[in-house]
Amino acid sequence: MLRFIYVILLNLFRAPYMIPKMRREADHPEKYSAEERYELARHCIRLMKVTGGIHTKAYGQENLPKEGGYMMYPNHQGKYDALGIVYTHRKPCSIVMDKAKSNTILVKEFIDLLEGKRLDKKDVRQALTIINEVSEDVKNGKCYILFPEGGYDFNNRNHVCDFKAGSFKIALKTKAPIIPVALIDSYRVFNSFWLGPVTTQVHYLKPILFEEYGSLKTQEIAALVRDRINEKISDVLKITEKQEK
């Protein structure tokens, strides 16, 4: 959290220019293409990374489908998670986010730039509407990030919690590829007391195609995706431990 405040303060002089620019492009998609708006979001992330001493390495980008829409399901560690994915995901993608957390300054601008969906966890009807909207977008070739854990613990040290089965209804409705995304050390950026330089990792795992998950229940899909992410994180951390000895 301290780094988050530090990054905001160091970029405060940019706010009078950047925030209106983000709002202007988000409010006028007829003037600014999805690619232009996405690049503006990535530019803002780049500024945060430089001023905050944040480095992000991406692996497995060759696993991302070249055509069509897909759902990315990452583990959730903190405020930097979506930023790390957007920064390393070159093709424009969007995000499904908790409505209650989506309207603070900067977060609101990012969500609007990405044409993200705000899901109200307390309103079943609204949540169903969002699921249907995202499903249609994915069928039309759009890519989304959805965090199936639903939340995160402060300073969770790469621990992966259980995934919520309902998060995978969209995948079943669309029959689109599921991309498990393993985030490592992302919590150290804004959700720990660490203030030194930090390197995070984004691992795009092999797609899980409908042929593999279509016959499964949502609880089974959730467990399958979680297990693959957990396995990847464990393997990477074991290698890191050996290298440090």
Side-chain angles (χ1 to χ4, degrees):
M1 193 64 185
L2 293 176
R3 189 195 304 270
F4 182 74
I5 297 171
Y6 176 74
V7 169
I8 293 297
L9 290 175
L10 284 186
N11 287 283
L12 202 58
F13 73 96
R14 293 188 172 101
Y17 165 73
M18 290 302 299
I19 291 178
K21 180 175 175 62
M22 294 169 75
R23 287 177 177 165
R24 182 169 61 252
E25 293 201 13
D27 290 342
H28 296 284
E30 75 282 359
K31 294 182 180 179
Y32 304 95
S33 68
E35 288 75 17
E36 288 175 315
R37 286 177 275 126
Y38 192 69
E39 281 309 308
L40 177 57
R42 295 181 78 207
H43 174 65
C44 293
I45 297 170
R46 192 175 298 112
L47 295 175
M48 291 183 186
K49 289 172 77 280
V50 171
T51 55
I54 306 161
H55 306 277
T56 298
K57 296 181 179 180
Y59 304 87
Q61 288 160 311
E62 69 278 3
N63 290 323
L64 296 172
K66 299 295 187 293
E67 297 180 357
Y70 49 85
M71 290 296 301
M72 290 181 278
Y73 291 99
N75 55 306
H76 208 1
Q77 297 194 351
K79 297 179 184 298
Y80 183 72
D81 296 351
L83 303 182
I85 294 172
V86 169
Y87 184 75
T88 58
H89 191 277
R90 295 185 183 130
K91 179 181 176 181
C93 65
S94 193
I95 184 171
V96 181
M97 186 175 182
D98 182 4
K99 185 178 180 180
K101 299 178 180 178
S102 68
N103 289 309
T104 57
I105 191 167
L106 283 181
V107 176
K108 179 183 186 302
E109 283 72 30
F110 270 109
I111 296 299
D112 290 343
L113 272 177
L114 302 178
E115 293 186 313
K117 301 294 185 181
R118 294 172 167 85
L119 190 147
D120 188 345
K121 296 180 180 179
K122 298 179 181 179
D123 188 335
V124 177
R125 182 175 295 180
Q126 190 267 2
L128 181 59
T129 299
I130 294 299
I131 288 174
N132 289 334
E133 289 178 0
V134 173
S135 297
E136 284 303 311
D137 285 346
V138 173
K139 288 178 182 178
N140 290 325
K142 199 167 181 177
C143 309
Y144 272 90
I145 303 165
L146 197 161
F147 293 97
E149 285 170 277
Y152 51 82
D153 295 324
F154 183 80
N155 207 0
N156 73 0
R157 299 185 180 278
N158 295 309
H159 175 70
V160 182
C161 296
D162 290 336
F163 286 2
K164 299 184 185 303
S167 303
F168 297 89
K169 290 180 179 178
I170 296 171
L172 282 173
K173 284 175 69 70
T174 61
K175 300 181 181 180
I178 290 173
I179 312 296
V181 183
L183 302 178
I184 297 176
D185 289 343
S186 188
Y187 73 95
R188 298 181 71 191
V189 179
F190 295 139
N191 290 79
S192 77
F193 297 111
W194 178 255
L195 282 177
V198 60
T199 299
T200 74
Q201 298 179 39
V202 179
H203 293 262
Y204 297 100
L205 308 188
K206 290 184 179 180
I208 304 175
L209 303 180
F210 183 73
E211 289 76 9
E212 183 176 356
Y213 73 80
S215 61
L216 303 179
K217 296 179 180 178
T218 51
Q219 293 91 339
E220 296 172 320
I221 301 173
L224 173 66
V225 176
R226 181 188 181 278
D227 288 347
R228 293 198 180 180
I229 290 173
N230 217 14
E231 182 180 1
K232 184 64 177 182
I233 293 174
S234 297
D235 289 346
V236 172
L237 293 180
K238 285 177 184 177
I239 293 172
T240 302
E241 287 176 6
K242 288 182 180 179
Q243 292 175 341
E244 291 176 348
K245 288 182 179 179

